[in-house]
Amino acid sequence: MLNIQDLHVRVGETEIIKGLSLSVPAGEVHAIMGPNGAGKSTLSYALAGRPGYEVTGGSITLDGEDLTALEPNERAAKGVFLSFQYPLEIPGVPGLTFLRTALNAQRKARGEDEVAAPAFLKLIREKAAALKIDFEMLKRPLNVGFSGGEKKRMEILQMAVLSPRFLILDETDSGLDIDALRIVSEGVNAMRSSDRAMLVITHYQRLLDYIRPDKVHVLAAGRIVASGGPELAQELERSGYDQYASAA
Amino acid sequence: MSLAAAIRTGEVAELPSRRDEDWRWTDLRGLLRAVPPASPPGDAAALAVGPFAVLAEDEVVFLNGRRLMGLDALTIEAGAPRVLALRFVSQAEGTAHHSDFALTLAPGAVLTLLESHESAGEAYVADSALDIRLGEGARLERIVLIDEAADAIAVDSAEVSLAPNAVFAQAVLTRGARRQRSQTRVRHPGGGARVRLDGLYLPAGARLADLTTEVLHQGVDGTTSQLTKGAVRGQARGVFQGRIVVEERADRTDARMGHHALILSERAEVDAKPELLIHADDVACAHGNTVGALDEEALFYAEQRGIPEAEARAMLTEAFLVEVVDRIEHAGARDVARAWVAEHLREEA
Ligand SMILES: Nc1ncnc2c1ncn2[C@@H]1O[C@H](COP(=O)(O)OP(=O)(O)OP(=O)(O)O)[C@@H](O)[C@H]1O
Ligand SMILES: [Mg+2]
């Protein structure tokens, strides 16, 4: 599915990702943990194609196709979805309008028919109900004035509606209360399937109790410095990142 | 000095130039070496339907400066609310024309005026002058859609005078032209009269769109609320000149002016001059003026969700501008205006 080889990413004058290699096969969930400032969000932006995040070396492929040559919206149409650590506010554009525009743009890019308004509303009502999101909230400008937790929940709703193939969750658990964490995790787990893969960035073991990862990687100073099974997350919880300072 | 005078006399010296303070951003003198010849009558049979066709009960049409039927003046009597379309159509190439129209609302009359400036030609020079008088308690909502040719020069001027307790609401929407100005001057008597004076400009290419207004508060207890928003693309220019004068003794005036613009490309430009000239003591006045760019992070967020960049820009720009459209009271006209904005934002810059 996703294959990253010796990736280097520069932001402005600074190299943040320094030779990172990672591969996430279809059907698997990989967790990325690591200290603040390690480059986790930078990696997720580079995968999504954010302007200003310049890939200066290495490769990123999704099912063998080079992602770095594609625009962000083209990557999205190929199935890349990034749940933002800090979701943006979109003044003046109701959530419903935004999401329908996005869904139809993706479908058009894939040569599929647009979703008509009634079918779209049915889909979004169903997904919103599962995530316990009040439908009225979708009529408001997207994320404007929403609480941190509401924004995160809205990210997962968008993910559920857009039905991507490769999911990147950048600290989706931060800002969520205990009930919301469970609801959001259930939403994410519902999307696990043999033809999807996920990269879950988090600081906390608790999210991984809900979303069980197949592998855990430690990202420090722009590289993967350790990889292991779910037990690695528990070990990090106990001993922290100090042991990797020298490796980085 | 005016475009109308230049067309009437054929004298280029009559054209406003950058030396006139109010025209320094919209120079006409430097553009024309000679005043073009007068436009022919035009072919009424070739007229397309106007943008507000289905909404209006009656239609007044000026074709190349000539009214197709009836007189150049109209009085609306008190009674049931009326909806009138007023169309200025330029069916000309390289020629010039001028229209004059006077509209009077009798005391208590209620009118929605759906005005359009339409193009079926190119490189013409069009000027129109409107004289609007509102009697005591009359209400007028004027919605103006300006859709001139890219290489046209067009100026429209409205002189509006109000009696006490009259309500005048206006929204001018324009995509500009080679040079295009819409100017409105309101004599505000106070006395409970209310004015809303809104504008929206979205020029692209090499167009210039100019919205110029002046409100003279001459009596106590008058309110003016003004909101203008613009988005400029390509090498286009937007000009906003808003002046509110509160004369001596026009106490308890409440005047608010806002102008907010988005510059969407490196070569686009906005010139703004908001002015509040207050000569009375007891007033509530405020103005805000901002010029900025689209939020690049929000743009990336939309693209990440699959929306192509051009559509994401149009969507966010539309969301910014639509506040002006939402203030239009006439529901049908509001829908026409919203569709018009959406369409033109999605045209190539
Ligand atoms: N625009 C920028 N210019 C220069 N440096 C930047 C820029 N954006 C991020 N950085 C730096 O890149 C490094 C990695 O940041 P990143 O946001 O990827 O960290 P992170 O691992 O996601 O951290 P956190 O756990 O706090 O979310 C940081 O040192 C940060 O200051
Ligand atoms: Mg981060």
Side-chain angles (χ1 to χ4, degrees):
Chain A
M1 190 108 188
L2 185 84
N3 225 304
I4 305 173
Q5 285 295 329
D6 193 28
L7 183 70
H8 292 256
V9 177
R10 201 159 63 190
V11 185
E13 295 297 294
T14 322
E15 179 164 78
I16 310 285
I17 301 295
K18 306 165 181 171
L20 181 147
S21 298
L22 178 68
S23 119
V24 189
E28 292 196 3
V29 173
H30 287 204
I32 291 192
M33 304 183 82
N36 294 131
K40 302 182 298 297
S41 292
T42 303
L43 172 65
S44 66
Y45 286 144
L47 293 175
R50 180 169 172 174
Y53 288 67
E54 193 192 348
V55 174
T56 53
S59 66
I60 308 169
T61 59
L62 184 68
D63 293 334
E65 186 178 5
D66 178 15
L67 279 189
T68 59
L70 302 179
E71 297 295 327
N73 63 298
E74 294 170 329
R75 298 183 199 201
K78 299 274 182 204
V80 176
F81 182 95
L82 167 62
S83 172
F84 283 58
Q85 183 173 356
Y86 304 107
L88 277 295
E89 300 192 350
I90 309 291
V93 183
L96 283 172
T97 309
F98 182 87
L99 203 38
R100 189 165 167 224
T101 306
L103 180 61
N104 282 331
Q106 288 201 16
R107 294 182 65 94
K108 192 174 165 204
R110 292 193 291 260
E112 301 164 7
D113 285 341
E114 293 202 342
V115 177
F120 173 75
L121 286 175
K122 185 166 176 286
L123 172 73
I124 200 163
R125 270 185 201 282
E126 177 193 311
K127 303 289 185 191
L131 288 163
K132 299 214 164 31
I133 291 175
D134 181 4
F135 187 76
E136 289 304 307
M137 216 158 125
L138 292 160
K139 297 178 179 169
R140 284 163 52 187
L142 183 62
N143 291 337
V144 177
F146 290 14
S147 74
E150 288 169 342
K151 288 178 183 172
K152 293 301 178 74
R153 228 185 274 207
M154 203 57 83
E155 293 290 278
I156 302 307
L157 173 65
Q158 294 180 53
M159 191 169 89
V161 169
L162 295 172
S163 189
R165 294 192 307 134
F166 188 76
L167 291 60
I168 309 159
L169 283 79
D170 190 355
E171 293 197 31
T172 296
D173 51 340
S174 68
L176 290 180
D177 66 40
I178 296 160
D179 293 332
L181 181 64
R182 185 178 45 76
I183 292 164
V184 160
S185 302
E186 282 167 5
V188 173
N189 282 332
M191 297 200 65
R192 291 180 83 145
S193 74
S194 58
D195 55 0
R196 286 201 179 98
M198 297 186 197
L199 205 53
V200 178
I201 297 169
T202 183
H203 287 296
Y204 304 106
Q205 167 63 34
R206 189 161 59 200
L207 178 70
L208 303 180
D209 289 339
Y210 287 109
I211 306 172
R212 300 290 299 164
D214 297 290
K215 282 216 169 97
V216 175
H217 307 276
V218 179
L219 200 167
R223 303 208 327 261
I224 302 292
V225 293
S227 297
E231 72 286 350
L232 178 56
Q234 278 147 19
E235 188 195 317
L236 288 170
E237 194 102 325
R238 283 193 304 273
S239 52
Y241 296 113
D242 279 355
Q243 54 182 314
Y244 300 111
S246 58
Chain B
M1 209 152 300
S2 68
L3 179 57
I7 293 173
R8 197 170 53 240
T9 61
E11 293 287 341
V12 268
E14 292 286 351
L15 288 169
S17 78
R18 63 175 85 245
R19 267 185 252 141
D20 303 293
E21 178 59 20
D22 280 357
W23 288 87
R24 66 187 162 130
W25 289 319
T26 310
D27 177 39
L28 299 183
R29 179 78 181 82
L31 276 190
L32 292 174
R33 239 182 258 157
V35 177
S39 297
D43 176 8
L47 271 182
V49 290
F52 297 115
V54 296
L55 301 175
E57 304 148 0
D58 297 301
E59 196 174 75
V60 170
V61 184
F62 282 86
L63 179 56
N64 292 355
R66 293 165 185 82
R67 182 163 174 196
L68 287 189
M69 276 178 293
L71 301 171
D72 292 349
L74 185 67
T75 298
I76 306 291
E77 301 297 342
R82 304 259 315 264
V83 182
L84 174 72
L86 174 60
R87 303 173 59 196
F88 295 96
V89 184
S90 292
Q91 204 185 67
E93 283 180 31
T95 57
H97 46 270
H98 168 80
S99 319
D100 261 312
F101 189 62
L103 182 65
T104 304
L105 271 68
V110 180
L111 177 70
T112 302
L113 180 67
L114 304 174
E115 181 178 329
S116 54
H117 295 257
E118 307 166 34
S119 159
E122 48 191 65
Y124 52 82
V125 175
D127 186 90
S128 60
L130 217 57
D131 185 72
I132 298 175
R133 287 161 204 272
L134 272 67
E136 169 98 29
R139 305 170 68 100
L140 172 63
E141 182 174 32
R142 177 185 182 221
I143 296 129
V144 187
L145 210 56
I146 301 174
D147 212 336
E148 302 284 8
D151 52 5
I153 295 173
V155 174
D156 72 276
S157 313
E159 294 279 342
V160 183
S161 61
L162 311 176
N165 291 315
V167 178
F168 176 63
Q170 169 173 297
V172 179
L173 292 84
T174 178
R175 43 195 302 246
R178 186 172 175 217
R179 291 283 192 283
Q180 177 274 321
R181 165 179 286 195
S182 181
Q183 50 187 10
T184 307
R185 182 155 62 176
V186 183
R187 286 179 192 285
H188 200 313
R194 294 202 308 269
V195 170
R196 173 166 63 74
L197 208 56
D198 295 346
L200 186 157
Y201 58 88
L202 38 77
R207 289 173 182 253
L208 181 149
D210 172 339
L211 294 176
T212 293
T213 62
E214 183 174 58
V215 181
L216 304 171
H217 277 272
Q218 298 172 317
V220 297
D221 294 320
T223 62
T224 293
S225 162
Q226 184 168 21
L227 178 67
T228 300
K229 284 193 158 189
V232 291
R233 292 172 291 159
Q235 306 158 249
R237 281 173 59 202
V239 174
F240 169 73
Q241 302 186 106
R243 183 182 298 140
I244 295 178
V245 183
V246 182
E247 296 183 357
E248 250 177 278
R249 292 186 299 280
D251 286 328
R252 299 192 300 274
T253 291
D254 187 321
R256 321 261 153 188
M257 181 195 292
H259 168 252
H260 307 285
L262 284 178
I263 296 185
L264 300 176
S265 69
E266 272 178 26
R267 297 174 69 191
E269 188 181 316
V270 169
D271 297 299
K273 188 177 175 192
E275 280 181 292
L276 284 176
L277 306 174
I278 301 166
H279 305 292
D281 297 326
D282 177 16
V283 297
C285 293
H287 71 97
N289 182 43
T290 59
V291 179
L294 274 183
D295 177 354
E296 292 294 324
E297 282 195 62
L299 213 50
F300 168 64
Y301 182 76
E303 289 180 65
Q304 201 301 304
R305 298 294 135 96
I307 303 173
E309 185 185 343
E311 173 57 28
R313 281 185 188 279
M315 181 180 78
L316 296 179
T317 307
E318 188 179 344
F320 168 81
L321 293 175
V322 83
E323 186 185 359
V324 171
V325 176
D326 286 343
R327 283 160 60 107
I328 295 175
E329 283 154 46
H330 188 281
R334 195 166 61 230
D335 290 344
V336 169
R338 194 175 287 137
W340 188 83
V341 169
E343 181 194 333
H344 290 302
L345 281 177
R346 283 164 181 80
E347 280 168 357
E348 295 246 345

